[in-house]
Amino acid sequence: MDKKDQPTIHILSNSSVLFDATTLLGDKLAIQKRIWALASQCKKTYQCIDIVPAMNSLTLYFSNETKFIDLKEQLLNSWKTLQPEDFKGRHHKLITRYGGENGPDIEHVARFHNMHTEDVIARHSSVHYQVLFLGFQPGFTYLHGLDTQLHTPRRSEPRTHVPKGSVAIGADQTGVYPADSPGGWHIIGHTDFTLFDSNQSVPSIINPGDTIEFIAKDIAS
């Protein structure tokens, strides 16, 4: 079988493996949904310290040494039977204040696309975004689904401080900063929704496979 027809499994250590589906042909989002379904199945099947889904890949960290020959066969057999619709994530509604002090870059985004700020808000808040994976900082969500008319190159000079809760656009991505940090994305709004809480047993409130909807409120002119 051609390597592009099935995932590759890499042994990382005596207790961890990488399930790599990045070379597969076809709809990448559909492949990603199967990754989430596989991650969910692995949580029920194996004793893992951590299970980390990334874009079209999955890393498993086991609590004990593992027989990898059996594991490879089990993972590949599971992959053959899983379908994108087998995984159901949670949906989150994020109340968002667009423009003004909450979104200092929204006018720049509007001018860049020759549209009104109201158009930016309408397009940005009309989508159910899919959470592809978490990265950059704990709880930061990389979202799929930004309207192509809102794709905007990142700032030429990143800010040294972006406030927690900033809703921003960077190139073909949109997301929310879960904590104060530097950042080069254009800030168009703000939400009080908590994305990451280290005091919780599951710190990331939003997880890969979930969906996000931005609900416009208190729009500044």
Side-chain angles (χ1 to χ4, degrees):
M1 180 178 291
D2 189 276
K3 68 177 182 179
K4 293 183 179 180
D5 293 329
Q6 70 172 355
T8 304
I9 299 176
H10 305 278
I11 299 174
L12 303 180
S13 71
N14 60 3
S15 59
S16 61
V17 297
L18 170 65
F19 186 91
D20 183 4
T22 58
T23 61
L24 299 187
L25 301 176
D27 185 337
K28 293 300 182 182
L29 182 56
I31 294 172
Q32 186 65 22
K33 290 180 178 181
R34 290 175 70 189
I35 287 288
W36 296 326
L38 180 62
S40 180
Q41 186 178 92
C42 287
K43 288 180 182 179
K44 301 173 183 177
T45 306
Y46 304 112
Q47 292 184 340
C48 293
I49 298 173
D50 202 3
I51 296 176
V52 184
M55 190 59 192
N56 287 179
S57 69
L58 178 68
T59 305
L60 304 175
Y61 297 91
F62 297 92
S63 55
N64 299 300
E65 293 187 10
T66 303
K67 294 181 179 180
F68 290 111
I69 294 179
D70 295 338
L71 177 66
K72 284 184 176 181
E73 183 177 358
Q74 292 167 7
L75 290 175
L76 290 175
N77 286 338
S78 293
W79 181 258
K80 293 175 184 177
T81 62
L82 290 171
Q83 299 299 321
E85 57 271 16
D86 289 337
F87 178 83
K88 303 296 182 183
R90 297 171 60 200
H91 183 65
H92 308 269
K93 295 182 178 181
L94 277 59
I95 304 301
T96 304
R97 296 173 175 84
Y98 288 94
E101 294 181 354
N102 295 302
D105 297 327
I106 196 168
E107 291 185 4
H108 167 81
V109 174
R111 287 195 303 270
F112 184 84
H113 296 288
N114 193 29
M115 63 176 65
H116 298 293
T117 56
E118 292 81 1
D119 298 326
V120 174
I121 295 168
R123 289 177 181 272
H124 188 266
S125 61
S126 64
V127 177
H128 285 197
Y129 297 92
Q130 190 90 57
V131 181
L132 295 178
F133 57 93
L134 307 180
F136 170 54
Q137 58 176 272
F140 189 94
T141 57
Y142 284 86
L143 304 178
H144 172 82
L146 181 65
D147 190 313
T148 56
Q149 296 299 312
L150 295 181
H151 292 186
T152 310
R154 300 181 185 189
R155 291 171 54 89
S156 57
E157 293 186 11
R159 288 183 171 89
T160 57
H161 177 258
V162 175
K164 173 184 177 180
S166 292
V167 177
I169 290 175
D172 61 349
Q173 293 274 352
T174 188
V176 182
Y177 285 80
D180 294 353
S181 75
W185 290 19
H186 299 282
I187 304 172
I188 63 170
H190 183 274
T191 180
D192 292 330
F193 189 96
T194 298
L195 280 79
F196 186 86
D197 185 351
S198 60
N199 295 316
Q200 299 297 318
S201 57
V202 181
S204 290
I205 312 303
I206 299 175
N207 290 284
D210 288 354
T211 52
I212 287 178
E213 178 182 3
F214 295 97
I215 307 296
K217 181 181 180 181
D218 297 338
I219 300 170
S221 58

